[in-house]
Amino acid sequence: MTKAKIKFDPKTKVFYLANDSISYIFSVEEGNLLCHLYFGDKIRDYHNELRYPRLDRAFSPNLPGEPHKTHRDFSKDVLPQEYSGNQTGDFRTPAIVIEAPNGALATDFRYVTYRIIDGKPDLEHLPHSYVKKSDEAKTLIVTLSDEVLHADLELTYTIYADRPVITRNVKIINHGNDTLSIKKIASMQMDIPLENIQAISLPGAHMRERQIQRQTLPQGVTEFNGRRGTSSHHMNPFIALVRPETTENTGAAVGFQLVYSGNHQFTLDKDFVGQTRILAGINENNFEWQLKPNRSFQTPEVIMVYSSHGLNGMSQAYHSLLRERVARGKFQYAPRPIVLNNWEATYFNFDAHKIQQILDAAQPLGIEMFVLDDGWFGKRDSDDRSLGDWHEYDQKFKDSHGLKGLAEQVHQMGLKFGLWFEPEMISTDSDLYRQHPEYVLHIPGRQMSPSRDQYVLDFSCPEVVDNIFTQMCAVLDQVPIDYIKWDMNRNLTEVYSTVLGPKQQGEVGHRYVLGVYDLADRLTKRYPNILFEGCSGGGGRFDAGILYYFPQSWTSDNTDPVERIGIQYGTTLAYPPSSITAHVSASPNHQNHRLTSLQMRGAVAMSGVLGYELNVNDLSPKEKAIIKQQIQFYKAHRQLLQYGTFYRLASPFKHNESAWEFVSPDKSEFILFVFRILASAQPMISITKAAGLQADANYQEADTGQIFGGDELMHVGLYNLPDQLGDFRAHVKYFKRV
């Protein structure tokens, strides 16, 4: 293992963080302001050549002081800072805004001291990346102070030894005698010099998650945020900054990923001299935190990745870190089971007999787990009742000796058993609501806004979290469960808690997220042998915060393979394939009624954690044979498909044909996937070139027996889809080194 290095030069007042691939440099400038200098490819040393130029910028205020001590050529307004204040001479977007007891909103934090420690400290009550040994990373903690507010900031930087990764977070401590009202507090800031920068983000919608958007930054403010209470379908908490020439495999890319599942905010502020400020953290909209004396507030973590090998290099660094040092528990690297979910087969209309018919048809195909979805609890025959009543619906299991009997029956067939929960939700037609109407997020005197005929529990209240924990444990202690699908099917409205005072209502959104994390942490620790899968109407809460507790998430409610290609392609920009659950569903597709082949659906689904979501009793013998063959192929190559090095080769957002690839760590084998959306009577000729192979090795394609050189596959490539007939086609090719 290489070593991470952090040093401080007391003469130049420069902090230098480095490992074998990256360097991060900033300094203590005039007025004890932190000045950002560099983040990129490793440099051996720094000789203080980037001291910020002294220029008189008209209308840019100077540092306060006696007239003969001030300098018109130095201003916060243009200094590339590491963490900026508010209303004290910098007119760009601030990193922190605090309302003092007198109503003032000014903040001015200046450098005081630093300390360097081995390893990486944990964040209390928040998900975060971690280390298993102290020599995996080094951490720098820089203390800033605002003497007027009597508050300190601790800026924490961790650099990993063997990864192109730096993590950032901020803690504020109130040392004064008055309560401070935090209006905004970013987890990180980085100001970079004049460059032609493009931003890549992952916007979308329900059933159209994580579409790749790339745009050139104009002067002014560009913002990517989520305001729906969760990280949301509509804007993922991730951005990347690239140059125009950056591609999947070449050029520089810097990623910023917030380890957080609530309202988030990424702000890019390009100033009048061409510099760009990057801020990331909790969304300031509707946020306000009352920080009492001698208390602290901890921000979520931002994971920063630098790649000089294009977007694939950045993504692979994220994939590795999220799998190895964010995800936890026994399923972190375990082979993920192939599930059959009954939702699209039965919806609410099932009983023990109907489930048994599904099981009898599924077992011979090689399915490894049966998951019972919505409808097993309370009196749940429709989506407008019983959420919050987590006890079994007796009528549905009278022929199987209860839910426990069904689970045991599934196990006797050699399958594992999973169950669906939606812990954060409540129906007004439920025993829980009738007993505790105050448990709902609501504003007294104002009507609640329904969404899908359900409402949101006040998870900012520990009593509510305890209630749901107790109910779930009563089921999990009695029924042998191997898997839980944790769903969350609406956004937050009326974000108000009756257990908090009027001045604390700006805390509810963040406290809600902390409540979700608390329940997830308690359940995963109490039931370490249960595989938890995240879900939020599909991909509405697909983020690194959830990945800390649940190693995989349902990627989208949209199971159409054509649209799934784009959804999964975009998702891999920041998240590993082992976290992407993908199911084969019926055709015509339930969402858009598109007709696609079983072969196409299988190829897309096996590019993540493979599962099935259809009624196997409706399949023909030929279709069952195809599924059996798909499952056999997936099981044979599961390790490669779930944990291999993933390369995006051709984008579905740019081309009619798209491609990706899984390569084993030792480069001894790889699987190539090529997809075509629409056929043409006069088709264009296209070629796919592999990536990441051993150039001087030979590889044999399994189906044809043909042998190709690694250099040939990477530089010459292969013709795409020689059979040009038909829309929605997929080819899957397995190669092994010979």
Short mmCIF file of all heavy atoms in Angstrom, two decimals, residues 330-331 337 368-371 407-408 410-411 414-419 476 479-485 527-533:
data_model
loop_
_atom_site.label_atom_id
_atom_site.label_comp_id
_atom_site.label_asym_id
_atom_site.label_seq_id
_atom_site.Cartn_x
_atom_site.Cartn_y
_atom_site.Cartn_z
N LYS A 330 -22.33 -8.11 5.70
CA LYS A 330 -21.94 -9.37 5.05
C LYS A 330 -22.28 -9.38 3.56
O LYS A 330 -21.73 -10.20 2.81
CB LYS A 330 -22.61 -10.54 5.75
CG LYS A 330 -24.12 -10.60 5.62
CD LYS A 330 -24.70 -11.87 6.26
CE LYS A 330 -24.38 -13.11 5.46
NZ LYS A 330 -25.04 -14.32 6.00
N PHE A 331 -23.19 -8.49 3.11
CA PHE A 331 -23.58 -8.50 1.70
C PHE A 331 -22.78 -7.50 0.87
O PHE A 331 -23.05 -7.33 -0.31
CB PHE A 331 -25.08 -8.21 1.57
CG PHE A 331 -25.93 -9.24 2.25
CD1 PHE A 331 -26.47 -9.00 3.50
CD2 PHE A 331 -26.15 -10.47 1.65
CE1 PHE A 331 -27.25 -9.96 4.14
CE2 PHE A 331 -26.92 -11.44 2.28
CZ PHE A 331 -27.47 -11.18 3.53
N PRO A 337 -28.51 -12.47 -4.73
CA PRO A 337 -29.40 -13.52 -5.24
C PRO A 337 -30.28 -13.03 -6.39
O PRO A 337 -30.59 -11.84 -6.52
CB PRO A 337 -30.24 -13.88 -4.02
CG PRO A 337 -30.24 -12.64 -3.18
CD PRO A 337 -28.87 -12.03 -3.38
N GLU A 368 -33.61 -17.89 -7.11
CA GLU A 368 -33.01 -18.17 -5.80
C GLU A 368 -33.79 -17.58 -4.63
O GLU A 368 -33.60 -17.99 -3.49
CB GLU A 368 -31.58 -17.63 -5.78
CG GLU A 368 -30.68 -18.30 -6.79
CD GLU A 368 -29.35 -17.60 -6.96
OE1 GLU A 368 -29.34 -16.34 -7.00
OE2 GLU A 368 -28.33 -18.30 -7.07
N MET A 369 -34.65 -16.59 -4.91
CA MET A 369 -35.37 -15.93 -3.83
C MET A 369 -36.73 -15.47 -4.33
O MET A 369 -36.85 -14.95 -5.43
CB MET A 369 -34.57 -14.74 -3.30
CG MET A 369 -35.30 -13.95 -2.21
SD MET A 369 -34.36 -12.51 -1.66
CE MET A 369 -33.00 -13.27 -0.79
N PHE A 370 -37.74 -15.66 -3.50
CA PHE A 370 -39.06 -15.12 -3.79
C PHE A 370 -39.31 -13.94 -2.87
O PHE A 370 -39.12 -14.04 -1.65
CB PHE A 370 -40.15 -16.17 -3.58
CG PHE A 370 -41.54 -15.60 -3.71
CD1 PHE A 370 -42.05 -15.28 -4.95
CD2 PHE A 370 -42.31 -15.35 -2.58
CE1 PHE A 370 -43.32 -14.72 -5.08
CE2 PHE A 370 -43.58 -14.81 -2.69
CZ PHE A 370 -44.08 -14.49 -3.95
N VAL A 371 -39.75 -12.82 -3.45
CA VAL A 371 -40.03 -11.61 -2.67
C VAL A 371 -41.52 -11.30 -2.74
O VAL A 371 -42.07 -11.11 -3.83
CB VAL A 371 -39.22 -10.41 -3.21
CG1 VAL A 371 -39.59 -9.15 -2.43
CG2 VAL A 371 -37.73 -10.68 -3.09
N ALA A 407 -43.23 -18.43 4.58
CA ALA A 407 -41.78 -18.29 4.52
C ALA A 407 -41.09 -19.65 4.68
O ALA A 407 -40.12 -19.96 3.96
CB ALA A 407 -41.30 -17.32 5.60
N GLU A 408 -41.58 -20.46 5.59
CA GLU A 408 -40.99 -21.78 5.78
C GLU A 408 -41.20 -22.67 4.56
O GLU A 408 -40.32 -23.46 4.18
CB GLU A 408 -41.59 -22.42 7.03
CG GLU A 408 -41.15 -21.73 8.33
CD GLU A 408 -41.87 -22.25 9.56
OE1 GLU A 408 -42.93 -22.92 9.38
OE2 GLU A 408 -41.39 -21.99 10.68
N VAL A 410 -41.42 -21.60 1.47
CA VAL A 410 -40.47 -21.12 0.46
C VAL A 410 -39.08 -21.70 0.74
O VAL A 410 -38.39 -22.18 -0.17
CB VAL A 410 -40.43 -19.58 0.44
CG1 VAL A 410 -39.31 -19.08 -0.46
CG2 VAL A 410 -41.77 -19.02 -0.04
N HIS A 411 -38.68 -21.69 2.00
CA HIS A 411 -37.37 -22.23 2.36
C HIS A 411 -37.29 -23.74 2.09
O HIS A 411 -36.23 -24.25 1.67
CB HIS A 411 -37.08 -21.95 3.84
CG HIS A 411 -36.71 -20.52 4.11
ND1 HIS A 411 -37.20 -19.81 5.19
CD2 HIS A 411 -35.93 -19.65 3.43
CE1 HIS A 411 -36.72 -18.58 5.17
NE2 HIS A 411 -35.94 -18.47 4.10
N GLY A 414 -36.12 -24.70 -1.20
CA GLY A 414 -34.74 -24.35 -1.53
C GLY A 414 -34.56 -22.90 -1.95
O GLY A 414 -33.50 -22.52 -2.45
N LEU A 415 -35.59 -22.08 -1.73
CA LEU A 415 -35.52 -20.66 -2.07
C LEU A 415 -35.42 -19.83 -0.80
O LEU A 415 -35.77 -20.27 0.30
CB LEU A 415 -36.78 -20.23 -2.85
CG LEU A 415 -37.11 -20.99 -4.12
CD1 LEU A 415 -38.41 -20.46 -4.72
CD2 LEU A 415 -35.98 -20.88 -5.13
N LYS A 416 -34.94 -18.60 -0.96
CA LYS A 416 -34.96 -17.64 0.14
C LYS A 416 -36.23 -16.79 0.04
O LYS A 416 -36.89 -16.76 -0.99
CB LYS A 416 -33.70 -16.77 0.10
CG LYS A 416 -32.44 -17.57 0.36
CD LYS A 416 -31.20 -16.70 0.39
CE LYS A 416 -29.96 -17.54 0.71
NZ LYS A 416 -28.73 -16.71 0.76
N PHE A 417 -36.53 -16.10 1.14
CA PHE A 417 -37.81 -15.39 1.22
C PHE A 417 -37.58 -13.93 1.58
O PHE A 417 -36.85 -13.61 2.52
CB PHE A 417 -38.72 -16.05 2.26
CG PHE A 417 -40.08 -15.41 2.38
CD1 PHE A 417 -40.99 -15.50 1.34
CD2 PHE A 417 -40.44 -14.72 3.52
CE1 PHE A 417 -42.24 -14.91 1.44
CE2 PHE A 417 -41.69 -14.13 3.65
CZ PHE A 417 -42.60 -14.23 2.60
N GLY A 418 -38.21 -13.04 0.81
CA GLY A 418 -38.10 -11.61 1.05
C GLY A 418 -39.46 -10.97 1.23
O GLY A 418 -40.49 -11.51 0.82
N LEU A 419 -39.44 -9.78 1.84
CA LEU A 419 -40.68 -9.09 2.17
C LEU A 419 -40.54 -7.59 1.92
O LEU A 419 -39.46 -7.02 2.10
CB LEU A 419 -41.00 -9.33 3.66
CG LEU A 419 -42.46 -9.24 4.12
CD1 LEU A 419 -43.34 -10.19 3.33
CD2 LEU A 419 -42.53 -9.56 5.61
N LEU A 476 -40.08 -9.53 12.04
CA LEU A 476 -38.79 -10.13 11.69
C LEU A 476 -38.31 -11.14 12.74
O LEU A 476 -37.56 -12.06 12.41
CB LEU A 476 -37.75 -9.03 11.49
CG LEU A 476 -38.07 -8.01 10.40
CD1 LEU A 476 -36.97 -6.95 10.31
CD2 LEU A 476 -38.26 -8.69 9.05
N VAL A 479 -40.89 -14.28 11.71
CA VAL A 479 -40.89 -14.85 10.36
C VAL A 479 -39.46 -14.94 9.84
O VAL A 479 -38.72 -13.96 9.92
CB VAL A 479 -41.74 -13.97 9.41
CG1 VAL A 479 -41.78 -14.57 8.00
CG2 VAL A 479 -43.16 -13.81 9.95
N PRO A 480 -39.04 -16.08 9.31
CA PRO A 480 -37.68 -16.18 8.77
C PRO A 480 -37.55 -15.42 7.45
O PRO A 480 -38.02 -15.87 6.40
CB PRO A 480 -37.50 -17.69 8.56
CG PRO A 480 -38.89 -18.23 8.42
CD PRO A 480 -39.78 -17.36 9.24
N ILE A 481 -36.91 -14.27 7.52
CA ILE A 481 -36.79 -13.35 6.39
C ILE A 481 -35.33 -13.27 5.96
O ILE A 481 -34.44 -13.14 6.79
CB ILE A 481 -37.29 -11.93 6.77
CG1 ILE A 481 -38.73 -11.98 7.24
CG2 ILE A 481 -37.13 -10.97 5.60
CD1 ILE A 481 -39.74 -12.25 6.18
N ASP A 482 -35.09 -13.31 4.66
CA ASP A 482 -33.73 -13.20 4.12
C ASP A 482 -33.47 -11.86 3.44
O ASP A 482 -32.31 -11.52 3.18
CB ASP A 482 -33.49 -14.31 3.08
CG ASP A 482 -33.76 -15.69 3.66
OD1 ASP A 482 -32.98 -16.12 4.52
OD2 ASP A 482 -34.74 -16.33 3.25
N TYR A 483 -34.55 -11.12 3.15
CA TYR A 483 -34.40 -9.93 2.29
C TYR A 483 -35.55 -8.97 2.61
O TYR A 483 -36.69 -9.41 2.85
CB TYR A 483 -34.45 -10.39 0.84
CG TYR A 483 -34.67 -9.36 -0.25
CD1 TYR A 483 -33.61 -8.93 -1.04
CD2 TYR A 483 -35.93 -8.86 -0.52
CE1 TYR A 483 -33.82 -8.02 -2.08
CE2 TYR A 483 -36.15 -7.95 -1.55
CZ TYR A 483 -35.09 -7.53 -2.32
OH TYR A 483 -35.30 -6.65 -3.34
N ILE A 484 -35.25 -7.70 2.62
CA ILE A 484 -36.29 -6.67 2.79
C ILE A 484 -36.14 -5.64 1.69
O ILE A 484 -35.05 -5.10 1.46
CB ILE A 484 -36.19 -6.00 4.17
CG1 ILE A 484 -36.70 -6.93 5.27
CG2 ILE A 484 -37.00 -4.70 4.20
CD1 ILE A 484 -36.56 -6.38 6.66
N LYS A 485 -37.24 -5.38 1.01
CA LYS A 485 -37.31 -4.26 0.07
C LYS A 485 -37.94 -3.10 0.82
O LYS A 485 -39.12 -3.13 1.17
CB LYS A 485 -38.14 -4.64 -1.16
CG LYS A 485 -38.25 -3.52 -2.19
CD LYS A 485 -39.05 -3.97 -3.41
CE LYS A 485 -39.19 -2.83 -4.41
NZ LYS A 485 -39.96 -3.24 -5.61
N TYR A 527 -30.37 -7.30 12.44
CA TYR A 527 -30.60 -8.41 11.52
C TYR A 527 -29.51 -8.42 10.44
O TYR A 527 -29.75 -8.14 9.27
CB TYR A 527 -31.98 -8.29 10.88
CG TYR A 527 -33.11 -8.20 11.89
CD1 TYR A 527 -33.69 -6.97 12.19
CD2 TYR A 527 -33.55 -9.34 12.56
CE1 TYR A 527 -34.72 -6.89 13.12
CE2 TYR A 527 -34.57 -9.27 13.50
CZ TYR A 527 -35.15 -8.03 13.79
OH TYR A 527 -36.15 -7.95 14.72
N PRO A 528 -28.28 -8.76 10.83
CA PRO A 528 -27.16 -8.69 9.88
C PRO A 528 -27.25 -9.71 8.75
O PRO A 528 -26.56 -9.55 7.74
CB PRO A 528 -25.94 -8.96 10.77
CG PRO A 528 -26.48 -9.76 11.92
CD PRO A 528 -27.85 -9.21 12.17
N ASN A 529 -28.10 -10.73 8.90
CA ASN A 529 -28.21 -11.75 7.86
C ASN A 529 -29.32 -11.45 6.86
O ASN A 529 -29.58 -12.27 5.97
CB ASN A 529 -28.45 -13.12 8.51
CG ASN A 529 -27.26 -13.58 9.32
OD1 ASN A 529 -26.11 -13.38 8.92
ND2 ASN A 529 -27.51 -14.17 10.48
N ILE A 530 -29.98 -10.31 7.00
CA ILE A 530 -31.00 -9.90 6.04
C ILE A 530 -30.36 -8.94 5.03
O ILE A 530 -29.69 -7.98 5.40
CB ILE A 530 -32.19 -9.21 6.74
CG1 ILE A 530 -32.96 -10.22 7.60
CG2 ILE A 530 -33.13 -8.58 5.72
CD1 ILE A 530 -34.13 -9.61 8.36
N LEU A 531 -30.59 -9.22 3.75
CA LEU A 531 -30.17 -8.31 2.69
C LEU A 531 -31.24 -7.25 2.52
O LEU A 531 -32.39 -7.56 2.21
CB LEU A 531 -29.97 -9.09 1.39
CG LEU A 531 -29.76 -8.27 0.11
CD1 LEU A 531 -28.53 -7.39 0.20
CD2 LEU A 531 -29.68 -9.19 -1.11
N PHE A 532 -30.87 -5.99 2.73
CA PHE A 532 -31.80 -4.87 2.57
C PHE A 532 -31.60 -4.23 1.20
O PHE A 532 -30.46 -3.99 0.78
CB PHE A 532 -31.57 -3.82 3.66
CG PHE A 532 -32.12 -4.19 5.01
CD1 PHE A 532 -31.46 -5.09 5.82
CD2 PHE A 532 -33.30 -3.63 5.46
CE1 PHE A 532 -31.96 -5.44 7.07
CE2 PHE A 532 -33.82 -3.97 6.72
CZ PHE A 532 -33.14 -4.88 7.52
N GLU A 533 -32.71 -3.94 0.55
CA GLU A 533 -32.67 -3.22 -0.72
C GLU A 533 -33.44 -1.92 -0.58
O GLU A 533 -34.59 -1.91 -0.13
CB GLU A 533 -33.27 -4.06 -1.85
CG GLU A 533 -33.37 -3.30 -3.17
CD GLU A 533 -33.90 -4.16 -4.31
OE1 GLU A 533 -33.16 -5.06 -4.74
OE2 GLU A 533 -35.04 -3.94 -4.74
#
